[in-house]
Amino acid sequence: MDPNHQFTEAPMPLFAPAPDDVGLVPPLPAGNRDKSSPSYLADHRARLRERFLAGGAAAMPDYELLELLLFRAIPRQDVKPLARRLIQHFGDFNRVISAMPSRLQDVTGVGPAVITEFKIVEAAAQRLARARVMNRPVLSGWQALLDYCHTAMAHAETEQFRTLYLDRKNNLIADEEQARGTVDHVPVYPREIMRRALELNASALILVHNHPSGDPTPSEADITMTHRIAKAADSLSITLHDHLIIGKSREISFRAEGLI
């Protein structure tokens, strides 16, 4: 068994958009803060908050949800233009929130306070989704597991590989990120997966990795490595339930596709 193999996406062209000028929102002088916050801004913020509380997020476009977050990070300026720039730059709310800090800084007007707000929201979303699956039967709560995987990985800009370890009742006992890679491949070490399974006394595994391109179609390397992990697991009487590839809006199950 090759101990150092890589999951890869099928080759495809990558076009990186040119970054905007980097800019930070400067602090306002204490004597000028009241003047810089006209009443129409306060009214707009109040109306937006009221709409959110009355109807929830479902009827709000992505840029307005971003505005609500930006209100806290930039308390006395009109943040609608920045919210629209972020959506234009990244594509949607999820990709904005999950973008790497270095890429967020490429957008004019984004500084440390904005990045902190976004990363808090991202962490909270992942923790809420994770709480719905940890220490619970995975196979009978499959949709919750898929929701968690999408929340944690679907919008990541680099490829990630994680292993879900299950006990004899198929309760999820550990969710561990094994490796991170580049935009189209990630190193995977089968020996480390098996060693950790033995340490946890796991009886079964589910493999999960994402394709940052958004297309979850498995590559030949994905299939080959999955078979090697399945063989190694079988030799230790550990069941490989599935391998999920997470795309932007859908996932591929190796089990459902007959690949394992």
Side-chain angles (χ1 to χ4, degrees), residues 23-26 45 65-83 85-87 90 93 96-122:
L24 302 179
V25 177
R45 292 184 176 212
L65 277 179
L66 285 179
E67 280 192 81
L68 289 170
L69 295 180
L70 292 169
F71 288 168
R72 290 170 49 85
I74 308 174
R76 295 179 178 87
Q77 294 186 34
D78 183 4
V79 296
K80 183 183 291 186
L82 175 56
R85 283 200 301 275
L86 285 163
I87 295 297
F90 293 102
F93 180 88
V96 173
I97 296 301
S98 60
M100 292 185 294
S102 59
R103 289 206 62 204
L104 287 167
Q105 288 177 338
D106 288 343
V107 179
T108 302
V110 173
V114 170
I115 292 172
T116 299
E117 289 296 322
F118 290 171
K119 294 299 106 179
I120 289 172
V121 171
E122 181 186 26

Side-chain angles (χ1 to χ4, degrees), residues 12-248:
M12 60 187 303
L14 300 173
F15 298 93
D20 298 329
D21 293 335
V22 175
L24 302 179
V25 177
L28 296 169
N32 294 333
R33 287 181 180 174
D34 290 339
K35 295 179 182 179
S36 69
S37 182
S39 60
Y40 76 85
L41 283 182
D43 292 344
H44 170 69
R45 292 184 176 212
R47 286 194 299 269
L48 205 57
R49 289 187 178 112
E50 288 171 2
R51 281 180 49 212
F52 176 77
L53 291 174
M60 302 184 78
D62 282 359
Y63 79 88
E64 288 187 339
L65 277 179
L66 285 179
E67 280 192 81
L68 289 170
L69 295 180
L70 292 169
F71 288 168
R72 290 170 49 85
I74 308 174
R76 295 179 178 87
Q77 294 186 34
D78 183 4
V79 296
K80 183 183 291 186
L82 175 56
R84 289 186 177 276
R85 283 200 301 275
L86 285 163
I87 295 297
Q88 183 178 17
H89 193 87
F90 293 102
D92 59 33
F93 180 88
N94 290 325
R95 287 184 180 271
V96 173
I97 296 301
S98 60
M100 292 185 294
S102 59
R103 289 206 62 204
L104 287 167
Q105 288 177 338
D106 288 343
V107 179
T108 302
V110 173
V114 170
I115 292 172
T116 299
E117 289 296 322
F118 290 171
K119 294 299 106 179
I120 289 172
V121 171
E122 181 186 26
Q126 292 185 10
R127 186 161 295 189
L128 286 168
R130 189 172 186 268
R132 296 187 179 101
V133 296
M134 283 302 301
N135 300 311
R136 300 186 183 186
V138 168
L139 300 185
S140 60
W142 195 248
Q143 188 56 52
L145 178 68
L146 294 179
D147 291 344
Y148 166 60
C149 292
H150 276 278
T151 299
M153 305 174 73
H155 300 280
E157 296 177 335
T158 57
E159 200 163 323
Q160 303 172 14
F161 178 87
R162 62 204 313 142
T163 304
L164 309 183
Y165 297 93
L166 283 62
D167 65 13
R168 291 178 180 175
K169 296 182 179 180
N170 287 319
N171 292 317
L172 180 60
I173 55 175
D175 163 27
E176 298 185 357
E177 184 177 293
Q178 304 296 137
R180 293 194 179 204
T182 63
V183 295
D184 62 357
H185 70 275
V186 62
V188 176
Y189 302 90
R191 288 181 183 176
E192 290 300 310
I193 295 172
M194 295 305 117
R195 179 187 63 79
R196 186 60 176 149
L198 293 174
E199 288 177 351
L200 294 168
N201 196 27
S203 296
L205 308 172
I206 297 174
L207 310 177
V208 189
H209 84 283
N210 65 310
H211 279 181
S213 69
D215 180 4
T217 303
S219 66
E220 287 301 320
D222 293 339
I223 296 170
T224 298
M225 177 48 69
T226 302
H227 290 164
R228 291 180 177 178
I229 294 174
K231 184 177 180 180
D234 185 63
S235 69
L236 297 173
S237 298
I238 295 173
T239 301
L240 177 60
H241 281 312
D242 210 340
H243 179 182
L244 301 172
I245 302 182
I246 306 299
K248 181 179 179 182

